[in-house]
Amino acid sequence: MKKKGGTHWFSRVLTIGAILLLLWLEYYPTASIHQSPKAVGGELNLTNWMFDQDGVSLLNGEWDFYPDQLLKPSELANHTPVSIKVPGRWSEKENYQQKNRGNGTYHLSIRLPDSEELLLKVQNVWMSHRLYVNGELVKEMGKPHERFKEHEAKNIPYTVPIQPASEVELVLQVSNYLFYDGGIAHPIQLGSMEEMTMNSFLSFGSDMAGVYLFLVFGIFHLYLYQMRNKEMIYLYSGLHLLLVSLLVATTGEKLLMRLLDGYLSFQITYKLQDLSIFLSMTVLIFFLQSLEPRVLSKKVIRMIASPILCFCVAVVGLPYQFYTHMKPFMTLYIFVMLGWFIVRLLTILIKSEKRQSSSNEFWYVAGIVFFIMALMVNSILYHTGYTNSNVIGKFSTIGFLTALNLFLARRFTNKMNEVQLLSDQLQKSNDIKDEFLARTSHELKTPLHGIINISNHLLKEKQENLSRQKENIALIQDTSMKLSLLVNDLTDAIKLRHEDIHVQMKSVDISVVVQLVFQLLSFNTREKEVRLINDIKPMTFVQADENRLRQVLYNLVANAVKYTDTGQVTATAKREGENLFVSITDTGIGIPKEEWDMVFEDSYRVVSPKQFSDNGMGLGLYISRQLARKMNGDVWVEHSIVGKGTTISIQLLSAKGDELDKESNSINCRQNIKTSSYEKSEHEQQKKRILLVDDEPTNIRVLTLMLEDQFELFVAYRGDHALQLLNEHKVDLVITDVMMPKMSGIELVQLIRENHSILDLPIIMATVRNGEKDIELAYQAGANDYILKPFTEEEIQSRIRVLLKLNDSMEQALQHELAYLQAQINPHFLHNAISNIIAICYEDGDRAAELLASLSHYLRYLFQMDHPHQRIPLYQELELIQEYVELEKLRFSERIHYEVHVTSMLKEEIMIPALLIQPLVENAIRHGLFHKRGEGTVTLTIEEQGEFICMTVEDDGIGMSQQQIEELKKTGKGVGVKNIDRRVQSYHNASFHIHSEQGKGTKCTLLLPKQRCTSVVEVVK
């Protein structure tokens, strides 16, 4: 606290010192002008004014004025003047002589003492004038004229020398057709040459320094806005300072007009002046709102700023003379709104300071507001002529800049302190995380060690003691269930923080749920004298998610058992209206009343190690309350006395049981029907073969226990091992894990699909991840189904049955197509073949015997092919084709030429689906060459193309049109073309294309994934 107080006083002293210094610098040049005499009746007597000693004199007072006339000095005697106050507007009520726009002539007679040469400074005359000194024209600013078209506006401060004389006559011809009023706006100064030169130099230099200072700080604040995560306070302060820099350059000494005289027109420079005034005030309002957002809402701020911004649009789009009459009203509007805003801001800041004495930004904001108010008051007084100097305005502007930068520096320091505090909190959170992980590890280790020790004991125990083994196995199951619930608590805690928990409401018998929870926790009470009593009547129904309700009750009962050494834990229920209140009462150590709500908090940690020596992770009660609220209920401590016990109540919506009974009975009936139907089919058929792939032996063991009674199982712990088993055995279905070392489940499925289609071999992927991307990736790889761990025995068996039934149905459909293919053997072909063989018997018996053997082998091969996806070595398919061609040559004699291009290595190594090439060769002969005149050639080419085998059957027969090709694939005319197309589509990455030109021939191309002979296969002989 002392450190903060010292900082406050230091900042205040620094601010006051800077203000006093700037005040002295600004006040010094005009310190003596307030004591000069005033003009009366158009005459000013300065005979007693010593310029060397008394300083500068202001030519204020009553001047002679000739309204609506531009008179030369020689013409004044012929006209009668009126008195007018200078400085001031010529249309003010007390001086009202003419309209605000027009012409007028000012005259003042000055009596001077004997002195040296003097210097006269004209600061601001609206909006053009000519200056005559002793009858001579000494300066023309713009072009005053009686007609608007001839008039030219210009208004820039200047000085003129006054030669030594006892009397000086000043005449100013003034014209105004653009501004909302005319006249001499600021005092005309007269002084010695030395002092006036020094004053002009200081005034010019201070404005130049102000422009540079505000410009630099404006750019600096915008840079901070860019670097400081785009904090709006820096944006508003930077824009405001830039606009103030432009305002200083276009007012006072009018640096912009003086430096760019002749380059910028009057309209442009004065539009820039108006824009800088009104835009700076608008941005200032937004800046103050960013200091304290409670002052006004952003919507109200926008409403306040809208008229000002509309006026700025008019400034840009309209000529100067068209909008200046609105300038006084807009100025008044801004001052009223800004004043009201400042009052609200100060009120809120003062209240906040009283409530929070440690705030160290209050005095800086107060300084900013004070200087803004001082600047507003000075602007009103100076521009209305009530003050002769703008010292307070310049002092307030620099004071505002100083206070603003001190405030932003303090805020930056506070932000850095906040960053440091957040860093400390982050470190503390990291420590809490480490503690949480340590607690979690401990909670997981305890049941795991119990399972390991009991399992080791079971392995060493003799088989005769079956009752003891069953008890140990039950304990393992109980411990594992608790471990699973513990992991579920961790998962649910994370989901609850991200609002990712969903419940499925239905009618639940809470008596049954409580009984299940008590059975699960019965092992926890064996070493204690604690009884679990369920006093809830059967058929007591509530609206809840059954799984989540069991989780809530488990956490509450487990907590009660944990802190109860003797006595009982009782569950009771009572119905009140539409609600059912369930109470869990124990006779344990109790909870202090001040901690009744704390026990349900996420970060709750018990602080008394004597009472709570094993408090766990502190998530159970927190999760229970959140889940109960998700189910339109709640959990709270109903009653607790330290040392006597606690009652925790659960509120849930009650439900009727009739609908539940009907629903349950209908579901059970449907399940019984489906189960019995499948068991009958399973009894009649042989067991299906299933390959289990998982790197975790426990998971393999669990699946084995679930499936071994109904299926024949193969086990693989690696992906390469699974591929080897698939090559060695006929498998009906594969269940594989996703995450495995060396080869993942995704890679395994992709490799399996190279040789087995989705219809040929169903695959189920099992994993704990259920993200959309994970599921999509599994299906893209070629999986048939996706199941989440942990799953129940009923769930996995149901999925297996569905896939196997689908596979059996597809097998039957393909068998029918194969039978159709076998039926494609044309009786006319058999009749001709047999007739030709009989004819050859009379000429060449040996040749006839060879042909009969070929026909017999050909027919036996076709009729014994009982599996559409059976693979055979390539050489067997080539032998079949050769025998078929020899039989066809009996009919066509020398018209048929058959060529084969294939390497001997491919013949021995490559496996292909049976009867895939022969139907294409048969089609080429029967439909391509049969109707061709003369000889024809069928060419079979087989070659490797990377990981694929390309098989091409080409003939030079009559060919087909594209329309005939499409009809051939759709209708199935021809020998097995449609069948081949469908079979190829069932293989992963396989393709079948037909290209033909009428009169030139047909080319059929098959592209299949390469499969080599790596294992023993069945060969049809």
Side-chain angles (χ1 to χ4, degrees):
M1 296 297 296
K2 291 182 179 180
K3 184 176 181 181
K4 286 187 177 180
T7 304
H8 282 180
W9 282 110
F10 176 75
S11 60
R12 294 171 192 171
V13 171
L14 180 63
T15 302
I16 294 173
I19 291 172
L20 292 176
L21 178 62
L22 292 170
L23 178 62
W24 180 82
L25 291 174
E26 291 291 342
Y27 181 76
Y28 172 76
T30 56
S32 61
I33 63 176
H34 301 286
Q35 305 172 2
S36 60
K38 292 186 177 182
V40 178
E43 295 184 357
L44 178 61
N45 186 2
L46 296 178
T47 54
N48 296 324
W49 187 265
M50 308 304 297
F51 289 97
D52 294 337
Q53 300 176 5
D54 298 331
V56 177
S57 174
L58 301 180
L59 307 186
N60 295 345
E62 297 179 356
W63 286 43
D64 291 336
F65 182 66
Y66 302 85
D68 294 324
Q69 301 177 78
L70 294 178
L71 302 177
K72 295 181 179 180
S74 59
E75 299 173 348
L76 298 180
N78 300 328
H79 297 78
T80 302
V82 296
S83 294
I84 192 171
K85 180 183 175 181
V86 175
R89 297 177 295 163
W90 63 29
S91 65
E92 289 180 344
K93 290 183 179 180
E94 58 181 320
N95 296 324
Y96 186 77
Q97 304 296 336
Q98 63 174 49
K99 297 180 180 180
N100 52 5
R101 293 182 178 179
N103 304 289
T105 302
Y106 289 86
H107 171 257
L108 180 66
S109 178
I110 307 173
R111 296 171 60 188
L112 299 172
D114 296 334
S115 62
E116 301 178 355
E117 183 179 14
L118 301 177
L119 198 63
L120 181 74
K121 182 175 183 180
V122 180
Q123 184 70 27
N124 190 14
V125 179
W126 296 331
M127 268 303 182
S128 63
H129 68 273
R130 293 188 187 94
L131 176 62
Y132 293 88
V133 177
N134 293 330
E136 295 183 2
L137 179 64
V138 295
K139 187 68 175 181
E140 184 177 32
M141 186 60 60
K143 188 180 291 184
H145 203 280
E146 294 178 351
R147 291 193 298 272
F148 170 71
K149 293 183 179 180
E150 305 295 332
H151 167 265
E152 183 179 333
K154 190 175 183 181
N155 185 15
I156 299 176
Y158 65 89
T159 58
V160 293
I162 303 296
Q163 300 299 324
S166 60
E167 188 171 348
V168 175
E169 298 287 336
L170 297 182
V171 176
L172 270 82
Q173 296 179 351
V174 181
S175 291
N176 174 49
Y177 292 101
L178 303 179
F179 201 51
Y180 65 85
D181 211 337
I184 301 174
H186 293 111
I188 298 176
Q189 302 177 22
L190 181 65
S192 64
M193 183 69 70
E194 180 180 356
E195 187 167 4
M196 286 295 295
T197 302
M198 177 60 69
N199 288 352
S200 298
F201 174 77
L202 290 176
S203 181
F204 185 89
S206 63
D207 281 4
M208 183 66 76
V211 171
Y212 177 77
L213 195 63
F214 286 111
L215 181 64
V216 170
F217 275 104
I219 296 174
F220 175 67
H221 285 199
L222 291 179
Y223 174 77
L224 290 178
Y225 165 74
Q226 185 68 27
M227 298 298 294
R228 296 277 301 162
N229 297 326
K230 300 189 183 304
E231 292 186 29
M232 298 306 295
I233 189 171
Y234 291 104
L235 174 64
Y236 295 140
S237 63
L239 292 176
H240 179 71
L241 293 177
L242 291 179
L243 291 170
V244 171
S245 175
L246 179 60
L247 178 61
V248 174
T250 54
T251 57
E253 293 297 321
K254 297 183 175 63
L255 303 180
L256 187 66
M257 291 78 156
R258 294 174 70 173
L259 295 176
L260 299 178
D261 188 19
Y263 297 97
L264 293 179
S265 66
F266 173 86
Q267 292 269 352
I268 294 177
T269 54
Y270 272 80
K271 281 176 179 288
L272 290 175
Q273 182 189 86
D274 291 338
L275 288 174
S276 63
I277 293 172
F278 292 99
L279 287 179
S280 63
M281 291 296 139
T282 305
V283 176
L284 180 61
I285 292 175
F286 281 97
F287 169 74
L288 294 176
Q289 195 271 342
S290 67
L291 288 180
E292 182 51 69
R294 293 177 296 173
V295 177
L296 287 175
S297 65
K298 291 184 178 180
K299 183 178 180 180
V300 176
I301 291 295
R302 295 191 189 100
M303 292 175 60
I304 294 175
S306 297
I308 308 174
L309 295 177
C310 292
F311 179 76
C312 292
V313 173
V315 170
V316 175
L318 298 177
Y320 187 74
Q321 65 271 19
F322 288 162
Y323 70 82
T324 53
H325 65 280
M326 289 294 298
K327 191 173 179 179
F329 302 103
M330 291 306 303
T331 304
L332 178 62
Y333 172 77
I334 286 181
F335 283 170
V336 171
M337 291 294 105
L338 194 59
W340 174 62
F341 193 93
I342 288 174
V343 171
R344 282 185 56 85
L345 177 62
L346 285 176
T347 303
I348 292 176
L349 289 176
I350 291 173
K351 291 181 179 179
S352 300
E353 177 70 8
K354 289 180 180 180
R355 289 197 304 264
Q356 187 177 0
S357 59
S358 60
S359 174
N360 53 11
E361 294 182 357
F362 171 78
W363 289 104
Y364 299 101
V365 178
I368 293 173
V369 172
F370 169 77
F371 288 119
I372 292 174
M373 295 178 64
L375 184 61
M376 291 169 54
V377 173
N378 178 78
S379 298
I380 296 173
L381 297 177
Y382 181 64
H383 287 285
T384 55
Y386 287 99
T387 59
N388 298 320
S389 174
N390 196 27
V391 174
I392 296 178
K394 292 184 177 182
F395 147 71
S396 300
T397 303
I398 298 176
F400 165 76
L401 179 62
T402 304
L404 174 63
N405 284 281
L406 287 175
F407 164 76
L408 293 178
R410 169 51 58 188
R411 173 157 289 192
F412 179 81
T413 302
N414 292 341
K415 291 292 184 182
M416 293 301 297
N417 293 336
E418 290 179 8
V419 170
Q420 182 61 41
L421 180 61
L422 291 174
S423 178
D424 295 340
Q425 292 177 351
L426 183 61
Q427 182 62 42
K428 184 178 180 181
S429 299
N430 190 54
D431 295 338
I432 293 175
K433 180 200 69 175
D434 293 339
E435 179 185 355
F436 176 78
L437 291 176
R439 286 177 174 270
T440 305
S441 301
H442 173 73
E443 292 291 323
L444 294 176
K445 282 180 181 179
T446 302
L448 285 174
H449 279 301
I451 292 173
I452 293 171
N453 293 331
I454 296 171
S455 301
N456 290 334
H457 179 72
L458 284 173
L459 292 174
K460 297 176 181 179
E461 197 173 37
K462 295 181 179 180
Q463 296 182 358
E464 288 79 5
N465 194 358
L466 294 179
S467 61
R468 179 68 175 174
Q469 290 180 351
K470 287 183 178 180
E471 184 178 351
N472 288 334
I473 292 173
L475 181 57
I476 290 177
Q477 184 181 19
D478 174 71
T479 307
S480 302
M481 182 62 72
K482 293 175 185 176
L483 186 61
S484 177
L485 292 174
L486 178 62
V487 175
N488 289 338
D489 280 348
L490 293 172
T491 305
D492 290 340
I494 296 173
K495 288 184 177 181
L496 285 169
R497 294 189 186 102
H498 294 86
E499 297 293 332
D500 195 25
I501 287 285
H502 303 284
V503 294
Q504 297 179 351
M505 304 293 286
K506 63 178 182 179
S507 296
V508 180
D509 188 347
I510 194 169
S511 175
V512 175
V513 177
V514 171
Q515 192 61 35
L516 290 174
V517 171
F518 280 2
Q519 290 174 359
L520 187 61
L521 291 169
S522 60
F523 280 100
N524 295 46
T525 62
R526 290 195 172 187
E527 303 300 327
K528 299 181 178 182
E529 297 179 1
V530 177
R531 291 187 303 156
L532 301 178
I533 303 174
N534 183 8
D535 282 342
I536 301 177
K537 295 180 180 180
M539 308 298 289
T540 303
F541 295 96
V542 294
Q543 283 286 339
D545 184 310
E546 183 175 359
N547 293 327
R548 296 302 182 185
L549 179 59
R550 183 168 57 183
Q551 185 177 357
V552 170
L553 290 170
Y554 177 86
N555 287 333
L556 297 180
V557 176
N559 189 74
V561 171
K562 192 175 196 178
Y563 300 120
T564 302
D565 293 329
T566 59
Q568 61 188 28
V569 176
T570 307
T572 58
K574 64 178 179 177
R575 192 185 307 272
E576 293 184 5
E578 297 181 353
N579 297 320
L580 184 76
F581 295 89
V582 179
S583 298
I584 306 297
T585 303
D586 64 69
T587 57
I589 61 177
I591 303 173
K593 189 171 184 178
E594 61 271 12
E595 296 179 0
W596 285 9
D597 289 330
M598 294 174 60
V599 295
F600 295 103
E601 294 179 1
D602 186 9
S603 58
Y604 177 72
R605 289 294 182 271
V606 178
V607 297
S608 177
K610 294 181 179 179
Q611 290 184 342
F612 299 91
S613 59
D614 186 19
N615 59 346
M617 293 176 295
L619 292 174
L621 296 181
Y622 162 74
I623 293 173
S624 297
R625 169 173 279 187
Q626 298 303 319
L627 289 178
R629 289 175 176 176
K630 285 284 185 180
M631 296 184 290
N632 302 318
D634 203 356
V635 176
W636 67 93
V637 177
E638 182 75 30
H639 177 73
S640 183
I641 299 176
V642 176
K644 293 186 177 181
T646 302
T647 299
I648 294 182
S649 294
I650 312 165
Q651 174 196 345
L652 295 168
L653 294 176
S654 61
K656 296 181 180 180
D658 297 339
E659 298 178 359
L660 176 70
D661 295 339
K662 295 179 181 179
E663 183 181 353
S664 300
N665 292 334
S666 62
I667 293 174
N668 290 335
C669 291
R670 290 195 297 270
Q671 290 178 346
N672 292 336
I673 291 171
K674 292 181 179 180
T675 304
S676 60
S677 174
Y678 183 77
E679 288 174 354
K680 182 179 179 181
S681 61
E682 283 290 311
H683 179 72
E684 294 175 353
Q685 299 178 5
Q686 294 182 352
K687 286 186 177 181
K688 296 287 187 177
R689 295 180 173 184
I690 296 179
L691 173 60
L692 307 178
V693 188
D694 200 313
D695 62 313
E696 180 60 44
T698 304
N699 295 336
I700 292 290
R701 181 58 183 163
V702 171
L703 280 171
T704 302
L705 293 173
M706 291 179 178
L707 306 175
E708 63 182 354
D709 293 338
Q710 301 184 40
F711 305 100
E712 182 180 352
L713 303 178
F714 296 89
V715 173
Y717 294 96
R718 300 191 313 273
D720 54 349
H721 186 199
L723 293 175
Q724 182 180 353
L725 288 175
L726 285 175
N727 289 329
E728 296 175 353
H729 302 279
K730 171 66 174 65
V731 174
D732 298 298
L733 186 139
V734 176
I735 301 176
T736 177
D737 187 25
V738 174
M739 301 301 295
M740 295 187 296
K742 295 185 180 180
M743 181 187 298
S744 69
I746 299 296
E747 294 173 319
L748 174 61
V749 172
Q750 291 173 341
L751 292 175
I752 293 175
R753 286 292 173 245
E754 292 182 0
N755 300 313
H756 301 275
S757 68
I758 293 178
L759 302 178
D760 184 23
L761 181 60
I763 300 176
I764 298 176
M765 300 200 73
T767 181
V768 295
R769 304 184 63 176
N770 62 345
E772 293 183 2
K773 294 295 183 182
D774 301 297
I775 298 175
E776 181 182 356
L777 185 62
Y779 284 120
Q780 287 179 350
N784 296 73
D785 201 355
Y786 191 93
I787 189 170
L788 294 177
K789 297 178 181 179
F791 44 78
T792 62
E793 181 176 350
E794 292 77 11
E795 182 180 6
I796 188 64
Q797 288 186 359
S798 298
R799 293 184 184 237
I800 291 173
R801 291 167 186 166
V802 170
L803 289 177
L804 290 178
K805 285 185 177 181
L806 287 174
N807 192 47
D808 289 343
S809 300
M810 292 305 303
E811 287 287 340
Q812 292 176 5
L814 291 173
Q815 288 286 359
H816 291 316
E817 290 201 8
L818 182 60
Y820 173 76
L821 176 63
Q822 294 168 347
Q824 295 296 312
I825 303 174
N826 198 324
H828 186 64
F829 161 74
L830 292 176
H831 179 269
N832 289 335
I834 294 173
S835 298
N836 291 328
I837 293 174
I838 293 173
I840 294 176
C841 287
Y842 297 101
E843 301 176 0
D844 189 350
D846 294 337
R847 175 61 176 163
E850 292 177 2
L851 293 175
L852 282 174
S854 298
L855 179 60
S856 174
H857 187 222
Y858 172 72
L859 294 176
R860 186 177 62 176
Y861 183 90
L862 290 179
F863 292 132
Q864 288 184 352
M865 187 63 59
D866 59 352
H867 197 290
H869 290 287
Q870 182 176 342
R871 288 180 177 265
I872 62 173
L874 177 59
Y875 72 86
Q876 286 192 355
E877 184 84 0
L878 294 178
E879 290 176 357
L880 176 67
I881 295 172
Q882 187 64 45
E883 291 169 351
Y884 169 76
V885 171
E886 292 298 328
L887 293 173
E888 287 288 1
K889 283 183 178 181
L890 293 176
R891 298 173 56 196
F892 296 97
S893 185
E894 300 299 327
R895 288 179 55 198
I896 297 178
H897 298 281
Y898 172 64
E899 298 179 0
V900 181
H901 303 285
V902 60
T903 62
S904 58
M905 185 178 297
L906 286 179
K907 289 181 181 181
E908 300 295 330
E909 293 184 355
I910 298 301
M911 303 284 291
I912 65 169
L915 288 179
L916 197 63
I917 306 177
Q918 187 274 335
L920 296 178
V921 175
E922 184 176 347
N923 269 304
I925 294 175
R926 291 176 56 185
H927 299 286
L929 302 184
F930 182 78
H931 300 288
K932 179 183 178 181
R933 295 182 180 180
E935 299 180 356
T937 304
V938 176
T939 305
L940 172 62
T941 305
I942 301 176
E943 56 185 359
E944 290 185 276
Q945 291 186 0
E947 296 298 321
F948 294 88
I949 295 295
C950 180
M951 294 168 284
T952 305
V953 178
E954 187 174 6
D955 67 74
D956 55 359
I958 59 175
M960 295 181 291
S961 65
Q962 188 63 34
Q963 183 178 358
Q964 290 175 318
I965 295 174
E966 296 298 330
E967 291 180 357
L968 187 64
K969 288 186 177 181
K970 292 180 180 179
T971 61
K973 294 180 180 180
V975 181
V977 173
K978 181 180 178 181
N979 179 279
I980 292 173
D981 187 41
R982 294 185 62 179
R983 289 176 63 192
V984 170
Q985 290 181 12
S986 68
Y987 294 108
H988 190 65
N989 292 331
S991 62
F992 175 53
H993 300 285
I994 301 176
H995 176 74
S996 182
E997 293 185 25
Q998 290 183 335
K1000 295 185 178 180
T1002 302
K1003 180 179 181 181
C1004 300
T1005 304
L1006 279 168
L1007 195 66
L1008 293 176
K1010 190 187 303 182
Q1011 182 178 1
R1012 300 186 180 274
C1013 299
T1014 57
S1015 61
V1016 179
V1017 296
E1018 289 187 26
V1019 179
V1020 179
K1021 296 182 180 180

